[in-house]
Short mmCIF file of all heavy atoms in Angstrom, two decimals:
data_model
loop_
_atom_site.label_atom_id
_atom_site.label_comp_id
_atom_site.label_asym_id
_atom_site.label_seq_id
_atom_site.Cartn_x
_atom_site.Cartn_y
_atom_site.Cartn_z
N LEU A 1 -8.13 -19.03 -12.74
CA LEU A 1 -7.24 -19.00 -13.83
C LEU A 1 -7.05 -17.63 -14.57
O LEU A 1 -6.19 -17.49 -15.33
CB LEU A 1 -7.50 -20.09 -14.84
CG LEU A 1 -7.35 -21.56 -14.40
CD1 LEU A 1 -7.93 -22.52 -15.51
CD2 LEU A 1 -5.96 -21.91 -14.12
N ASP A 2 -8.00 -16.79 -14.18
CA ASP A 2 -7.93 -15.40 -14.90
C ASP A 2 -6.87 -14.56 -14.23
O ASP A 2 -6.46 -14.78 -13.10
CB ASP A 2 -9.36 -14.74 -14.89
CG ASP A 2 -9.74 -14.32 -13.49
OD1 ASP A 2 -9.68 -15.13 -12.56
OD2 ASP A 2 -10.22 -13.16 -13.34
N THR A 3 -6.33 -13.63 -15.07
CA THR A 3 -5.25 -12.76 -14.52
C THR A 3 -5.58 -11.28 -14.76
O THR A 3 -6.54 -10.96 -15.37
CB THR A 3 -3.92 -13.08 -15.28
OG1 THR A 3 -3.96 -12.43 -16.54
CG2 THR A 3 -3.65 -14.55 -15.38
N GLN A 4 -4.76 -10.49 -14.10
CA GLN A 4 -4.72 -9.07 -14.35
C GLN A 4 -4.21 -8.73 -15.82
O GLN A 4 -3.60 -9.67 -16.45
CB GLN A 4 -3.81 -8.37 -13.36
CG GLN A 4 -4.32 -8.37 -11.93
CD GLN A 4 -5.48 -7.30 -11.73
OE1 GLN A 4 -5.43 -6.25 -12.27
NE2 GLN A 4 -6.46 -7.72 -10.92
N PRO A 5 -4.48 -7.58 -16.30
CA PRO A 5 -3.93 -7.27 -17.67
C PRO A 5 -2.31 -7.36 -17.66
O PRO A 5 -1.75 -7.74 -18.72
CB PRO A 5 -4.34 -5.79 -17.92
CG PRO A 5 -5.47 -5.55 -16.99
CD PRO A 5 -5.20 -6.47 -15.82
N THR A 6 -1.69 -7.01 -16.60
CA THR A 6 -0.25 -7.14 -16.40
C THR A 6 0.01 -8.11 -15.27
O THR A 6 0.57 -7.68 -14.26
CB THR A 6 0.47 -5.81 -16.30
OG1 THR A 6 -0.14 -5.13 -15.14
CG2 THR A 6 0.28 -4.96 -17.52
N GLY A 7 -0.52 -9.28 -15.33
CA GLY A 7 -0.54 -10.27 -14.21
C GLY A 7 0.65 -11.14 -14.27
O GLY A 7 1.43 -11.26 -15.25
N GLY A 8 0.87 -11.86 -13.08
CA GLY A 8 1.92 -12.81 -13.04
C GLY A 8 1.42 -14.23 -13.36
O GLY A 8 0.25 -14.41 -13.77
N LYS A 9 2.31 -15.19 -13.25
CA LYS A 9 2.03 -16.56 -13.74
C LYS A 9 1.47 -17.40 -12.59
O LYS A 9 1.08 -18.54 -12.84
CB LYS A 9 3.39 -17.23 -14.18
CG LYS A 9 4.03 -16.60 -15.38
CD LYS A 9 5.18 -17.37 -16.01
CE LYS A 9 6.46 -17.20 -15.05
NZ LYS A 9 7.11 -15.93 -15.18
N TYR A 10 1.36 -16.84 -11.40
CA TYR A 10 1.04 -17.73 -10.24
C TYR A 10 -0.25 -17.33 -9.49
O TYR A 10 -0.86 -18.17 -8.83
CB TYR A 10 2.23 -17.70 -9.27
CG TYR A 10 3.51 -17.95 -9.93
CD1 TYR A 10 4.43 -16.90 -10.16
CD2 TYR A 10 3.93 -19.21 -10.43
CE1 TYR A 10 5.65 -17.07 -10.86
CE2 TYR A 10 5.09 -19.42 -11.08
CZ TYR A 10 5.97 -18.30 -11.31
OH TYR A 10 7.12 -18.51 -11.96
N ASP A 11 -0.59 -16.04 -9.49
CA ASP A 11 -1.77 -15.52 -8.81
C ASP A 11 -3.01 -16.33 -9.24
O ASP A 11 -3.42 -16.20 -10.40
CB ASP A 11 -1.85 -14.04 -9.06
CG ASP A 11 -3.16 -13.41 -8.56
OD1 ASP A 11 -3.92 -14.02 -7.83
OD2 ASP A 11 -3.38 -12.18 -8.80
N GLY A 12 -3.54 -17.13 -8.35
CA GLY A 12 -4.74 -17.92 -8.65
C GLY A 12 -4.35 -19.18 -9.30
O GLY A 12 -4.88 -20.24 -8.83
N VAL A 13 -3.54 -19.17 -10.31
CA VAL A 13 -3.21 -20.35 -11.16
C VAL A 13 -2.56 -21.35 -10.30
O VAL A 13 -2.79 -22.58 -10.41
CB VAL A 13 -2.33 -19.91 -12.30
CG1 VAL A 13 -2.11 -21.17 -13.23
CG2 VAL A 13 -2.86 -18.75 -13.09
N LEU A 14 -1.66 -20.93 -9.37
CA LEU A 14 -1.06 -21.94 -8.42
C LEU A 14 -2.03 -22.73 -7.72
O LEU A 14 -1.87 -23.95 -7.55
CB LEU A 14 -0.16 -21.15 -7.47
CG LEU A 14 0.59 -22.02 -6.41
CD1 LEU A 14 1.52 -23.00 -6.98
CD2 LEU A 14 1.22 -21.17 -5.35
N GLY A 15 -3.14 -22.09 -7.21
CA GLY A 15 -4.11 -22.87 -6.46
C GLY A 15 -4.87 -23.85 -7.33
O GLY A 15 -5.18 -25.00 -6.83
N VAL A 16 -5.28 -23.52 -8.57
CA VAL A 16 -6.01 -24.41 -9.40
C VAL A 16 -5.13 -25.53 -9.81
O VAL A 16 -5.59 -26.74 -9.72
CB VAL A 16 -6.54 -23.63 -10.67
CG1 VAL A 16 -7.19 -24.60 -11.62
CG2 VAL A 16 -7.47 -22.50 -10.23
N LEU A 17 -3.97 -25.28 -10.31
CA LEU A 17 -3.08 -26.38 -10.76
C LEU A 17 -2.49 -27.19 -9.63
O LEU A 17 -2.18 -28.43 -9.92
CB LEU A 17 -1.98 -25.82 -11.72
CG LEU A 17 -2.49 -25.07 -12.96
CD1 LEU A 17 -1.32 -24.69 -13.86
CD2 LEU A 17 -3.49 -25.88 -13.69
N SER A 18 -2.39 -26.70 -8.45
CA SER A 18 -2.00 -27.44 -7.33
C SER A 18 -3.12 -28.41 -6.95
O SER A 18 -2.85 -29.57 -6.47
CB SER A 18 -1.64 -26.61 -6.10
OG SER A 18 -0.40 -25.90 -6.35
N GLY A 19 -4.35 -27.98 -7.14
CA GLY A 19 -5.51 -28.91 -6.91
C GLY A 19 -5.37 -30.06 -7.93
O GLY A 19 -5.62 -31.24 -7.46
N LEU A 20 -5.14 -29.74 -9.15
CA LEU A 20 -4.97 -30.80 -10.17
C LEU A 20 -3.75 -31.74 -9.74
O LEU A 20 -3.88 -32.98 -9.82
CB LEU A 20 -4.67 -30.23 -11.50
CG LEU A 20 -4.14 -31.12 -12.66
CD1 LEU A 20 -5.23 -32.29 -12.88
CD2 LEU A 20 -3.85 -30.35 -13.88
N GLU A 21 -2.65 -31.14 -9.28
CA GLU A 21 -1.52 -31.95 -8.83
C GLU A 21 -1.87 -32.83 -7.68
O GLU A 21 -1.34 -33.99 -7.61
CB GLU A 21 -0.31 -31.05 -8.51
CG GLU A 21 0.87 -31.71 -8.04
CD GLU A 21 1.37 -32.87 -8.97
OE1 GLU A 21 1.23 -32.80 -10.24
OE2 GLU A 21 1.90 -33.95 -8.48
N VAL A 22 -2.69 -32.42 -6.72
CA VAL A 22 -3.12 -33.20 -5.65
C VAL A 22 -3.78 -34.44 -6.14
O VAL A 22 -3.47 -35.59 -5.70
CB VAL A 22 -4.07 -32.41 -4.66
CG1 VAL A 22 -4.89 -33.36 -3.81
CG2 VAL A 22 -3.27 -31.44 -3.84
N ILE A 23 -4.68 -34.29 -7.12
CA ILE A 23 -5.37 -35.46 -7.68
C ILE A 23 -4.41 -36.37 -8.46
O ILE A 23 -4.45 -37.61 -8.30
CB ILE A 23 -6.55 -35.03 -8.65
CG1 ILE A 23 -7.57 -34.15 -7.86
CG2 ILE A 23 -7.21 -36.24 -9.24
CD1 ILE A 23 -8.15 -34.84 -6.67
N ARG A 24 -3.52 -35.81 -9.19
CA ARG A 24 -2.51 -36.59 -9.87
C ARG A 24 -1.68 -37.43 -8.89
O ARG A 24 -1.38 -38.61 -9.14
CB ARG A 24 -1.57 -35.71 -10.75
CG ARG A 24 -2.18 -35.07 -12.00
CD ARG A 24 -1.34 -34.03 -12.61
NE ARG A 24 -1.66 -33.74 -13.95
CZ ARG A 24 -1.19 -32.75 -14.66
NH1 ARG A 24 -0.28 -31.85 -14.09
NH2 ARG A 24 -1.57 -32.52 -15.93
N ALA A 25 -1.26 -36.78 -7.81
CA ALA A 25 -0.47 -37.47 -6.83
C ALA A 25 -1.24 -38.61 -6.13
O ALA A 25 -0.74 -39.68 -5.85
CB ALA A 25 0.05 -36.45 -5.78
N ILE A 26 -2.52 -38.30 -5.81
CA ILE A 26 -3.39 -39.36 -5.17
C ILE A 26 -3.47 -40.57 -6.08
O ILE A 26 -3.39 -41.77 -5.63
CB ILE A 26 -4.78 -38.73 -4.86
CG1 ILE A 26 -4.69 -37.76 -3.65
CG2 ILE A 26 -5.73 -39.85 -4.55
CD1 ILE A 26 -5.93 -36.95 -3.45
N ARG A 27 -3.64 -40.32 -7.37
CA ARG A 27 -3.77 -41.41 -8.33
C ARG A 27 -2.49 -42.20 -8.44
O ARG A 27 -2.45 -43.44 -8.49
CB ARG A 27 -4.20 -40.90 -9.73
CG ARG A 27 -5.69 -40.50 -9.78
CD ARG A 27 -5.92 -39.72 -11.07
NE ARG A 27 -5.51 -40.41 -12.33
CZ ARG A 27 -6.32 -41.27 -12.99
NH1 ARG A 27 -7.57 -41.55 -12.55
NH2 ARG A 27 -5.90 -41.88 -14.05
N ASP A 28 -1.33 -41.38 -8.51
CA ASP A 28 -0.10 -42.03 -8.64
C ASP A 28 0.22 -43.07 -7.46
O ASP A 28 0.85 -44.08 -7.61
CB ASP A 28 1.07 -41.01 -8.61
CG ASP A 28 1.18 -40.25 -9.97
OD1 ASP A 28 0.47 -40.66 -10.94
OD2 ASP A 28 1.83 -39.22 -9.99
N MET A 29 -0.17 -42.57 -6.27
CA MET A 29 0.11 -43.34 -5.06
C MET A 29 -0.95 -44.40 -4.76
O MET A 29 -0.83 -45.17 -3.77
CB MET A 29 0.26 -42.38 -3.88
CG MET A 29 1.47 -41.52 -3.87
SD MET A 29 1.63 -40.44 -2.49
CE MET A 29 0.51 -39.11 -2.90
N GLY A 30 -2.05 -44.40 -5.60
CA GLY A 30 -3.09 -45.44 -5.42
C GLY A 30 -3.91 -45.16 -4.12
O GLY A 30 -4.46 -46.10 -3.56
N LEU A 31 -3.94 -43.98 -3.70
CA LEU A 31 -4.74 -43.62 -2.48
C LEU A 31 -6.23 -43.56 -2.83
O LEU A 31 -6.61 -43.10 -3.90
CB LEU A 31 -4.23 -42.29 -1.85
CG LEU A 31 -2.80 -42.34 -1.28
CD1 LEU A 31 -2.40 -40.95 -0.88
CD2 LEU A 31 -2.67 -43.35 -0.14
N LYS A 32 -7.08 -43.89 -1.85
CA LYS A 32 -8.51 -43.81 -1.96
C LYS A 32 -9.07 -42.91 -0.83
O LYS A 32 -8.56 -43.03 0.28
CB LYS A 32 -9.16 -45.18 -1.89
CG LYS A 32 -8.66 -46.11 -3.00
CD LYS A 32 -9.08 -45.72 -4.46
CE LYS A 32 -8.64 -46.74 -5.42
NZ LYS A 32 -9.01 -46.38 -6.77
N THR A 33 -9.99 -42.09 -1.15
CA THR A 33 -10.60 -41.23 -0.14
C THR A 33 -12.08 -41.56 -0.11
O THR A 33 -12.73 -41.91 -1.07
CB THR A 33 -10.44 -39.75 -0.36
OG1 THR A 33 -11.01 -39.41 -1.63
CG2 THR A 33 -8.94 -39.41 -0.32
N ARG A 34 -12.66 -41.46 1.10
CA ARG A 34 -14.15 -41.70 1.25
C ARG A 34 -14.87 -40.62 0.44
O ARG A 34 -15.86 -40.87 -0.25
CB ARG A 34 -14.58 -41.67 2.65
CG ARG A 34 -16.06 -42.09 2.85
CD ARG A 34 -16.45 -42.21 4.30
NE ARG A 34 -16.64 -40.95 4.94
CZ ARG A 34 -17.77 -40.25 4.92
NH1 ARG A 34 -18.82 -40.64 4.21
NH2 ARG A 34 -17.88 -39.07 5.57
N ARG A 35 -14.53 -39.37 0.65
CA ARG A 35 -15.14 -38.25 0.02
C ARG A 35 -14.62 -37.96 -1.36
O ARG A 35 -13.43 -38.05 -1.63
CB ARG A 35 -15.09 -36.99 0.85
CG ARG A 35 -15.70 -37.12 2.23
CD ARG A 35 -15.52 -35.85 3.01
NE ARG A 35 -16.05 -35.97 4.37
CZ ARG A 35 -17.32 -35.80 4.67
NH1 ARG A 35 -18.19 -35.48 3.73
NH2 ARG A 35 -17.74 -35.98 5.92
N PRO A 36 -15.48 -37.54 -2.29
CA PRO A 36 -15.01 -37.10 -3.54
C PRO A 36 -14.22 -35.84 -3.35
O PRO A 36 -14.37 -35.05 -2.31
CB PRO A 36 -16.27 -36.74 -4.36
CG PRO A 36 -17.36 -37.44 -3.71
CD PRO A 36 -17.02 -37.60 -2.24
N ILE A 37 -13.34 -35.42 -4.28
CA ILE A 37 -12.54 -34.18 -4.26
C ILE A 37 -12.90 -33.41 -5.53
O ILE A 37 -12.79 -34.05 -6.59
CB ILE A 37 -11.03 -34.47 -4.14
CG1 ILE A 37 -10.79 -35.27 -2.85
CG2 ILE A 37 -10.25 -33.10 -4.10
CD1 ILE A 37 -9.37 -35.80 -2.74
N VAL A 38 -13.24 -32.12 -5.47
CA VAL A 38 -13.57 -31.33 -6.65
C VAL A 38 -12.60 -30.18 -6.72
O VAL A 38 -12.52 -29.37 -5.80
CB VAL A 38 -15.05 -30.85 -6.47
CG1 VAL A 38 -15.41 -29.97 -7.71
CG2 VAL A 38 -16.02 -32.02 -6.34
#
């Protein structure tokens, strides 16, 4: 989530928040996985 002094909105942040969105989507769809996701 950290940025350059003159950084953009997506470098790094896209990966972290897409990870969160993966979990949100899994919950929305009621999917279960054997392994935890971190």
Side-chain angles (χ1 to χ4, degrees):
L1 292 174
D2 68 314
T3 77
Q4 291 283 323
T6 54
K9 298 187 286 286
Y10 313 103
D11 174 2
V13 187
L14 175 65
V16 176
L17 297 187
S18 291
L20 168 60
E21 176 55 34
V22 163
I23 302 304
R24 287 169 164 171
I26 287 173
R27 285 169 56 89
D28 288 349
M29 291 180 283
L31 296 173
K32 304 291 185 181
T33 60
R34 185 176 78 83
R35 297 181 183 277
I37 302 170
V38 179

